[in-house]
Amino acid sequence: MKKIGILGGTFNPFHKGHLYIANAAYTQLGLDLVYIMPCGIPPHKDMDSSVTRYQRMSMCQKVCSNYPYLRLLDTELKEDGPSYSYRTLERIREGHTDWELYFIIGEDSLDQFSTWKHPELIAQSASLAVAIRRAGKRAGIDKVCKAIREEYGARIFLLDSDYIDVSSTEIRHIIREKRDGVEQTLASLIPAEVLSFIREHRLYSNGGIELSPKKDIKPSDFPRLKADIEKKLEKKLKPSRYMHTIGVAYTSASLAMANGYPMDIAFIAGLLHDCAKYMSPSELYAFCEKKDIEISAAEKKSPQLLHAKAGAYLAEKDYGITDKDILHAVKVHTTGCPEMNLLDQILFTADYIEPNRDKARRLTEIRQAAFKDLRLAIEMILSDTIEYLKETGKEIDQTTYKTYEWLKVSR
């Protein structure tokens, strides 16, 4: 029989307290593996609908991939209704008759155990492994354990743990309120890979677009912001360019939805990506020189490429966008860049595959790839772009080469 631990929860987000509990169970009980099991719809908690079950699963998966004794179990994520532990454990036991199950919970959950649905069936399916704080009142816990053993016939193992008293709710508040020293605080509470995922997907921050105070537009006023930018762009851009811009905005929003990124932020980035395209190549060159915007060797030979850097400048100065992610995505949307963040990838791809495009090679294949494997789509775009520029004898920006190499190495 394999000794298997099951650590369930919402993991919204996964934090170091969860990791400490999993490690305590693994080492103290001599388990073969610990399965991290995020629930789909918890019966006792109201979930933040802005963070999906798939995002919570991805955070757990990133942690599991770094620890050989951890595995992800997606049993409850596949359910559409509330997730009940008794039902899940019965299903796991039936499907794995060679597993001896240990259901890992915290001492707070132990206090509430009798209120759970069918606690007697949970006790029949698995032993309870209860993580307690070393500073906790052991006598009180022993009393609760005795009552549960007598009433439900439960097998209970107490785990001594040094885990910090972390609250997922508190973590979400820290992120939303942008408290002083937030980065250092979060780094002490959340595994690095999870924090990186939260930042890249802008989770728990309400998805707000950072705007110039002069505009006095709240992030919730997205429809008005969208309408104001569209009205201004329609006056400045040629009809064909404006049609392309709208196509990129909606394609960016679609890719954002597919990749768990705030749709409104991606849409605004798509709207503004070509906001400097009303200028001719010579005007772009003069503009960038005047504004002290760096001009690469490739951009000197092909100044039309400067519309990306000039666009980032105009997005901030003329449209009041101070959101660093949007400005960066606009700036690199033609060449890409090593270490592209998720919005960079979304905008770069949307510019290439939006519905009005029809001349690029492998376009249908790249469009399909974009919604299944975004990084693969970008690799294909860069490969085809480099090949086309070589064939036509045009200058290739070194950033494009570096981005392509970064993608191949990091995949």
Side-chain angles (χ1 to χ4, degrees):
M1 296 286 286
K2 292 182 179 179
K3 298 177 69 174
I4 302 297
I6 306 291
L7 177 59
T10 56
F11 303 111
N12 191 29
F14 190 103
H15 53 65
K16 289 184 178 180
H18 298 130
L19 195 56
Y20 291 155
I21 291 174
N23 181 261
Y26 175 71
T27 56
Q28 294 176 38
L29 296 177
L31 302 180
D32 292 291
L33 291 170
V34 175
Y35 280 84
I36 304 297
M37 185 177 68
C39 68
I41 302 175
H44 301 302
K45 292 184 180 179
D46 292 327
M47 291 296 293
D48 182 348
S49 61
S50 67
V51 178
T52 70
R53 64 180 70 186
Y54 305 106
Q55 289 169 325
R56 291 187 288 110
M57 178 183 71
S58 294
M59 286 187 274
C60 294
Q61 181 63 67
K62 287 186 174 297
V63 175
C64 291
S65 65
N66 285 337
Y67 293 86
Y69 64 89
L70 295 182
R71 296 288 187 277
L72 179 73
L73 187 63
D74 62 357
T75 301
E76 293 190 345
L77 289 171
K78 296 176 180 178
E79 297 180 353
D80 189 40
S83 302
Y84 291 104
S85 299
Y86 82 91
R87 193 164 54 198
T88 301
L89 290 171
E90 284 182 340
R91 191 178 304 136
I92 294 172
R93 191 176 65 169
E94 290 171 359
H96 301 277
T97 55
D98 61 335
W99 284 9
E100 180 184 352
L101 297 181
Y102 293 80
F103 192 47
I104 306 166
I105 61 176
E107 62 183 73
D108 295 338
S109 295
L110 183 69
D111 290 335
Q112 302 297 320
F113 184 73
S114 61
T115 69
W116 291 13
K117 196 155 189 171
H118 293 302
E120 75 283 0
L121 296 181
I122 296 175
Q124 290 174 20
S125 296
S127 299
L128 299 181
V130 185
I132 61 173
R133 302 176 185 86
R134 291 187 189 276
K137 296 180 180 180
R138 183 65 178 254
I141 294 172
D142 287 339
K143 184 178 180 180
V144 174
C145 289
K146 181 181 179 182
I148 292 175
R149 288 188 181 106
E150 290 177 352
E151 185 169 358
Y152 306 113
R155 300 173 302 281
I156 303 176
F157 297 87
L158 297 182
L159 308 170
D160 286 329
S161 174
D162 286 327
Y163 78 90
I164 52 179
D165 191 9
V166 187
S167 162
S168 293
T169 301
E170 178 65 13
I171 290 173
R172 296 195 298 270
H173 285 322
I174 291 172
I175 296 173
R176 288 194 176 108
E177 295 174 12
K178 300 180 180 179
R179 300 177 185 176
D180 292 338
V182 62
E183 292 297 332
Q184 184 176 356
T185 300
L186 292 175
S188 69
L189 300 176
I190 308 173
E193 57 272 24
V194 175
L195 183 55
S196 177
F197 185 89
I198 290 171
R199 289 304 186 209
E200 185 166 53
H201 291 76
R202 297 174 69 130
L203 303 183
Y204 311 116
S205 60
N206 297 325
I209 301 171
E210 297 176 10
L211 303 171
S212 167
K214 294 180 181 179
K215 289 289 182 181
D216 195 26
I217 297 176
K218 298 177 181 179
S220 59
D221 290 335
F222 167 70
R224 180 155 62 95
L225 175 63
K226 169 180 174 292
D228 289 346
I229 295 175
E230 287 175 343
K231 184 177 181 181
K232 194 169 184 177
L233 287 172
E234 193 170 13
K235 291 180 179 179
K236 282 185 169 290
L237 301 177
K238 294 179 180 179
S240 59
R241 178 60 54 185
Y242 181 72
M243 184 178 296
H244 164 72
T245 292
I246 297 300
V248 171
Y250 278 100
T251 304
S252 294
S254 298
L255 287 171
M257 286 189 282
N259 288 277
Y261 190 85
M263 182 180 65
D264 53 349
I265 294 173
F267 190 96
I268 295 301
L271 272 185
L272 291 171
H273 85 288
D274 273 357
C275 66
K277 273 285 192 174
Y278 66 89
M279 288 188 267
S280 68
S282 59
E283 288 172 333
L284 283 168
Y285 193 90
F287 178 87
C288 289
E289 279 197 319
K290 182 179 179 180
K291 302 299 182 182
D292 292 324
I293 297 172
E294 183 181 358
I295 302 174
S296 69
E299 290 164 343
K300 287 181 179 179
K301 294 184 178 181
S302 303
Q304 67 272 14
L305 294 174
L306 288 168
H307 77 275
K309 293 178 179 177
Y313 182 93
L314 292 174
E316 180 176 5
K317 303 301 181 183
D318 287 7
Y319 295 86
I321 303 296
T322 58
D323 192 293
K324 292 180 181 179
D325 287 344
I326 293 177
L327 297 179
H328 188 265
V330 171
K331 182 179 179 180
V332 303
H333 82 267
T334 56
T335 61
C337 69
E339 307 296 337
M340 294 172 79
N341 64 37
L342 184 53
L343 183 58
D344 295 338
Q345 296 176 40
I346 286 171
L347 182 58
F348 180 88
T349 306
D351 185 35
Y352 197 88
I353 69 170
E354 64 95 3
N356 297 295
R357 298 285 200 189
D358 60 3
K359 294 182 174 58
R361 62 185 70 177
R362 295 199 294 176
L363 188 55
T364 298
E365 184 178 358
I366 292 172
R367 280 174 172 152
Q368 292 175 351
F371 287 90
K372 296 179 180 179
D373 187 338
L374 187 58
R375 289 168 68 94
L376 173 61
I378 296 170
E379 191 173 326
M380 294 167 68
I381 292 170
L382 288 168
S383 175
D384 288 359
T385 299
I386 291 170
E387 184 177 346
Y388 169 76
L389 292 174
K390 285 180 177 178
E391 289 175 355
T392 56
K394 294 182 180 180
E395 186 77 16
I396 303 175
D397 193 295
Q398 288 301 307
T399 306
T400 300
Y401 273 127
K402 292 177 181 178
T403 305
Y404 184 53
E405 290 303 317
W406 167 71
L407 276 171
K408 289 198 298 182
V409 171
S410 62
R411 278 188 66 81

